[in-house]
Amino acid sequence: MKIYDISKELFSAPVYPGDPAPSVETLLSKNKPYPDSCQLSRLTMGSHSSTHLDSPRHFNKNGRDVSEVDLYRCVGPCKVVQGKERISAKQVEEFLQDGTKRLLIKGKKTVISRECARAAVRYGLYCLGVEGMSIGYPDDEWGVHYELLSSNVVILESINLEKVKSGNYFLAAQPLKMSGLDGSPVRAILLDGMGG
């Protein structure tokens, strides 16, 4: 079994315009003239930093928060496909017609339209992931997110599929258990040899 780490490193990953950049402050240190008993840090970041999951709360104040996301949606067999900069609804249907429930799309500039999101919902998709910082067209990010999240389709953004070939894998991309939050960083991995 091979493990692919499809997460980006937190502090070096691009930051979405307007979001807070992750930072760290050392509170206790072993590297002082009179060292503390342990190392302890304070981490500050946005809820959508680096590789992360969007929960329905991100675009719907009454939607599920990250602690309420059904983990089955972000853990299980998945398919990785090669995308283009703009995916059509027909292509989404072709990707999903074999019963795929978790789909990751390769392509650093790949975005989807609201029509693509509706096609994904029609096919009962659980999870949709892209390599870019946002899944939707720049002029309709709200619409794409809303279509997916209002149907409890989990969104993974800023994944790294550079070393992953198209094919079937097993995905594990659980959010941290944080009540009330709209998103969460994830350490997303793919297992080769367990997909289907």
Side-chain angles (χ1 to χ4, degrees), residues 56-139:
R57 182 70 56 90
H58 187 32
F59 277 78
N60 181 347
K61 67 178 182 179
N62 297 316
R64 293 180 182 178
D65 64 34
V66 291
S67 72
E68 299 168 322
V69 167
D70 181 357
L71 296 181
Y72 186 72
R73 292 184 168 270
C74 48
V75 177
C78 85
K79 181 162 62 175
V80 174
V81 297
Q82 181 64 55
K84 299 177 181 177
E85 189 165 337
R86 290 190 173 225
I87 301 280
S88 70
K90 183 178 180 181
Q91 287 173 303
V92 170
E93 291 174 351
E94 290 171 355
F95 293 149
L96 302 180
Q97 63 186 0
D98 61 358
T100 293
K101 295 300 180 187
R102 299 168 197 86
L103 181 69
L104 307 182
I105 305 175
K106 290 173 62 74
K108 299 194 185 307
K109 295 184 178 180
T110 297
V111 288
I112 69 167
S113 66
R114 199 182 298 207
E115 289 71 29
C116 291
R118 288 173 180 154
V121 169
R122 282 196 305 273
Y123 274 79
L125 191 67
Y126 296 159
C127 176
L128 182 57
V130 295
E131 294 195 81
M133 287 189 285
S134 182
I135 200 166
Y137 286 3
D139 59 353

